[in-house]
Amino acid sequence: MNGTGNFLNRMDIGNRDLAMQEVANHKGDFLDLLRHANHPLKIDLPSGTTQQGTDVEIAHSTTVVAVRYRDGVIIAGDRRATAGTAVIYDRAEKVLQIDRHSVLAISGSPAIAYEIARILEHSFQYFRRSQLQELSLQGKLRMLSRLIRDNLAMALQGIGGVIPIFALYDLDADDDENGGKIFFYDALGAHFENVNFATTGSGSIWIRGVLRYLSRFGETALHEMDKQQAAITLLRLLDIASEYDAATSGYNAKGQIFPTVKTVTRTGVNTVSDDDLTAWYAEAQPNAEE
């Protein structure tokens, strides 16, 4: 009996060592670890399934906008989620903190976007704890690219597309340099750095030109604005988008629902409080009715 027990104990020890070796072999790559454990990173639908061929209404969210300001990046998103022509939720969170110095702003399918954000957050944590250092900027960008590319099948079927903005602060930047960075992604996972601003979602078409105008000809350049100036600019832009796009909401005065506004600076990610937004929104209103 003792011989059998010792044999089983050796097997347990061997299996544990093998499992530990398999974890170590992933070298900080949380996505590979999930795949090895057969974790469902994406949802596979039957071939030929399309949004037009199902009665299930998929929620979508818009609009998000990011601006590089004096201290880093400020990023905002409206709170409305829609399904077809119906407003199904007016308190959706579209600006999600991933780690201490990065945020993901989402447009498209919240269900897929939240899963991408969750895996991205755990991937950064896994790398930091297993490698005892932060994942590099390029590593973070490629990690998000892989997640978006893995979701391509859903995006092509028209029911799970996610087009995010990824904003972060580069801690390797010099102290006198603005390390705020804004990256825009396409459905294939390619990323592009936007120097001054980025916007995505159905309301973005109405405000992209305004941002370009402000960037070139504004009284104060976007990258020279302080936090209050930049926040007021974003509040005004979302209000403009809400007037032309039914899927976008601005400030809901009746429900006291403000857009989500976060800043990403050298000190970390911070959420602008409702008290500040209340005061700044009052300043953002026009002086006279049109």
Side-chain angles (χ1 to χ4, degrees):
M1 184 70 180
N2 289 337
T4 302
N6 291 335
F7 175 72
L8 292 176
N9 287 336
R10 287 196 300 272
M11 287 184 61
D12 290 340
I13 293 173
N15 291 336
R16 185 172 66 247
D17 290 342
L18 180 60
M20 292 296 294
Q21 183 60 43
E22 290 174 346
V23 170
N25 288 339
H26 291 289
K27 299 180 180 179
D29 194 328
F30 187 67
L31 295 184
D32 283 344
L33 181 62
L34 289 181
R35 289 192 179 93
H36 183 79
N38 295 320
H39 184 279
L41 289 178
K42 57 184 178 182
I43 302 172
D44 292 324
L45 296 182
S47 60
T49 301
T50 63
Q51 187 173 7
Q52 290 76 18
T54 177
D55 292 332
V56 177
E57 289 193 338
I58 308 298
H60 288 81
S61 60
T62 53
T63 302
V64 291
V65 55
V67 166
R68 190 167 177 263
Y69 78 112
R70 188 170 63 190
D71 298 325
V73 176
I74 186 166
I75 189 164
D78 80 304
R79 306 291 296 278
R80 177 168 293 174
T82 60
T85 59
V87 177
I88 61 172
Y89 195 45
D90 248 343
R91 297 179 185 271
E93 291 292 337
K94 304 177 186 179
V95 183
L96 311 173
Q97 181 174 351
I98 302 301
D99 65 8
R100 186 180 175 187
H101 290 95
S102 66
V103 297
L104 187 71
I106 63 171
S107 69
S109 169
I112 301 297
Y114 291 157
E115 182 70 3
I116 287 175
R118 185 181 67 83
I119 294 176
L120 200 65
E121 178 183 359
H122 288 300
S123 295
F124 292 177
Q125 289 181 0
Y126 177 78
F127 187 92
R128 183 171 60 251
R129 293 173 180 175
S130 62
Q131 305 299 308
L132 303 180
Q133 62 180 335
E134 290 287 340
L135 186 61
S136 67
L137 185 150
Q138 289 300 321
K140 292 179 178 181
L141 296 177
R142 286 195 293 269
M143 187 77 69
L144 180 53
S145 290
R146 291 174 61 186
L147 288 170
I148 294 175
R149 187 172 60 251
D150 284 346
N151 187 57
L152 180 60
M154 295 285 286
L156 291 177
Q157 294 178 80
I159 58 176
V162 176
I163 306 296
I165 295 173
F166 189 48
L168 53 81
Y169 196 92
D170 184 7
L171 294 177
D172 292 332
D174 296 335
D175 292 338
D176 58 347
E177 179 185 357
N178 186 347
K181 294 183 178 295
I182 303 171
F183 295 91
F184 172 81
Y185 283 77
D186 69 9
L188 288 172
H191 62 267
F192 310 90
E193 183 174 2
N194 297 71
V195 177
N196 291 320
F197 65 86
T199 180
T200 185
S202 61
S204 63
I205 187 174
W206 307 110
I207 60 179
R208 185 176 290 111
V210 179
L211 280 166
R212 177 63 65 188
Y213 175 84
L214 292 175
S215 177
R216 290 185 178 180
F217 309 112
E219 185 175 334
T220 303
L222 294 176
H223 67 274
E224 295 177 352
M225 291 182 176
D226 61 23
K227 183 170 74 172
Q228 180 175 344
Q229 289 175 303
I232 289 176
T233 298
L234 296 191
L235 291 173
R236 286 173 172 168
L237 290 172
L238 289 175
D239 266 1
I240 290 172
S242 69
E243 292 179 3
Y244 292 95
D245 177 46
T248 302
S249 67
Y251 165 54
N252 185 330
K254 183 177 180 180
Q256 286 294 295
I257 303 172
F258 287 97
T260 302
V261 183
K262 294 182 185 292
T263 59
V264 188
T265 65
R266 185 175 290 276
T267 59
V269 176
N270 291 286
T271 302
V272 178
S273 68
D274 285 351
D275 291 338
D276 285 339
L277 290 177
T278 300
W280 296 347
Y281 194 87
E283 296 185 30
Q285 297 308 295
N287 294 326
E289 293 290 337
E290 293 186 356

